[in-house]
Amino acid sequence: MTHDVAVHPLVSPWGRFGLYSFFIDAPEPAIVDTGVASSPAEGMVPALEKLGRGIEEVRWILLTHGHIDHLGGAHALWELTGRRAQVVIHEADAPLLRARRAHVDLYLEVRDRYLRNPDAVAEQTTMARAAISGEMEPTVLVRGGETLSLGGDVTVSVHHIPGHTAGSVAYVIDGQDDVFVGDAAQVHGAANGFPGYEDPTAYRASLAYLRDEVRPRHLYLGHPYRTAEGVPFGVELDREQASRALQESLDIEARIDAAARRHLGDGVGETGSVYAPFAAVAEELGYAGDPRLEPSPFFTTMDGYARKYGVRN
């Protein structure tokens, strides 16, 4: 590659969150992650117009993982490209692109075990219908190890980095080491103040792989994750910031793991706490956020440790 490819953040609103996507200005332009159903029209179109570009030029839609706030706008974006863009997702998360119901089932399998909301199915179904622009079959399924050509001499390599979800991937612009990881490096969490991941062991291994093997020159995050002091990192990190974010992500995972191992040794027990059955872990870690607020990262993560230590109730 003779010169760096420009990367531009594209932000769109969604409730109390700002949803971030990234435009890779390659000969065959790409957008990494798509926000929710409204994001392409309300966030991406005007942002690209300010850059002098049109959304119909986009030829690649690269999805880092299958959560609603990252793939919800995929079908709408695909339509705005005249259905010419190729939609890429890891095979493990592809069911979440194919069917809205898969998101409801995921909620019921994990978070509903702890939140016990009698209206969960109706609420999650309504949310999925509103936030996901359409069910669709991906154009390209990846496993990790693939190289995608974005035209000219621009290539993007795909790295499987499970943990946040089973199908989380990093996209790396070859030759300039710009790395897009979605939500795979949580640091101390985003708005809810707690990191969210499904599989603690895979999450830790993926963080170490990013730190030691991929070694980003620039790291692009799906949300402005926070330091231990609660200060947002932002979503565009330079090499030093990326190294710090990855190391802090590993450090907080180790703290959570140690607390989970101590307090889950005797199984889980019910209390009147909103953190039940993991109140002792929350207390040791000093976590005082509201774990009931979606996307409920506290319960997603603690369920992973309960599975790890064989005490899931």
Side-chain angles (χ1 to χ4, degrees):
M1 190 182 305
T2 57
H3 59 86
D4 282 0
V5 176
V7 174
H8 302 279
L10 311 174
V11 63
S12 56
W14 187 43
R16 61 197 179 100
F17 299 102
L19 302 182
Y20 289 87
S21 304
F22 298 94
F23 178 68
I24 302 175
D25 195 0
E28 296 180 15
I31 287 181
V32 181
D33 289 335
T34 65
V36 292
S38 60
S39 299
E42 295 182 4
M44 297 176 195
V45 168
L48 288 176
E49 287 177 350
K50 290 181 180 179
L51 297 173
R53 306 302 296 271
I55 204 161
E56 70 280 355
E57 299 176 52
V58 174
R59 289 296 174 268
W60 293 89
I61 299 170
L62 308 178
L63 301 173
T64 62
H65 65 290
H67 284 162
I68 281 176
D69 55 328
H70 291 259
L71 63 64
H75 190 278
L77 176 55
W78 180 63
E79 290 281 2
L80 288 170
T81 70
R83 299 189 170 188
R84 290 187 292 271
Q86 299 194 67
V87 182
V88 183
I89 193 169
H90 191 278
E91 61 182 11
D93 280 11
L96 296 165
L97 183 65
R98 294 184 178 119
R100 292 183 176 94
R101 177 67 199 193
H103 296 267
V104 180
D105 292 341
L106 183 62
Y107 177 93
L108 295 175
E109 170 61 20
V110 180
R111 300 195 300 281
D112 192 56
R113 297 174 65 89
Y114 309 105
L115 295 171
R116 294 184 175 84
N117 177 4
D119 300 317
V121 172
E123 291 177 0
Q124 292 297 313
T125 299
T126 297
M127 188 268 292
R129 285 176 178 165
I132 298 175
S133 54
E135 301 173 334
M136 65 183 304
E137 183 66 28
T139 315
V140 179
L141 286 174
V142 295
R143 294 182 175 181
E146 297 85 358
T147 298
L148 309 175
S149 175
L150 273 56
D153 60 352
V154 181
T155 59
V156 168
S157 59
V158 183
H159 300 255
H160 187 205
I161 49 169
H164 180 65
T165 68
S168 291
V169 298
Y171 297 103
V172 180
I173 302 178
D174 297 321
Q176 65 187 62
D177 297 330
D178 286 356
V179 184
F180 305 85
V181 296
D183 296 348
Q186 293 266 317
V187 200
H188 287 257
N192 283 5
F194 202 89
Y197 41 90
E198 298 173 356
D199 183 333
T201 301
Y203 178 68
R204 184 168 189 83
S206 293
L207 289 168
Y209 174 74
L210 288 167
R211 181 194 63 186
D212 300 336
E213 301 296 331
V214 177
R215 302 180 68 182
R217 188 179 77 169
H218 295 106
L219 185 66
Y220 295 91
L221 304 176
H223 305 281
Y225 291 107
R226 304 180 183 200
T227 67
E229 297 75 32
V231 179
F233 266 102
V235 296
E236 301 176 86
L237 279 58
D238 62 23
R239 190 185 296 278
E240 182 178 347
Q241 292 169 326
S243 178
R244 180 186 172 194
L246 292 170
Q247 186 58 55
E248 286 198 16
S249 296
L250 284 161
D251 292 346
I252 186 60
E253 190 285 321
R255 286 187 58 216
I256 298 171
D257 181 82
R261 188 169 60 251
R262 278 191 289 274
H263 295 292
L264 299 183
D266 297 325
V268 294
E270 292 301 324
T271 69
S273 169
V274 294
Y275 304 97
F278 308 112
V281 177
E283 182 177 2
E284 177 174 328
L285 295 171
Y287 177 57
D290 188 341
R292 297 165 296 186
L293 295 176
E294 285 294 334
S296 310
F298 177 78
F299 288 121
T300 297
T301 299
M302 293 314 304
D303 184 76
Y305 288 104
R307 291 173 185 265
K308 177 177 179 177
Y309 292 113
V311 295
R312 192 170 187 256
N313 61 355

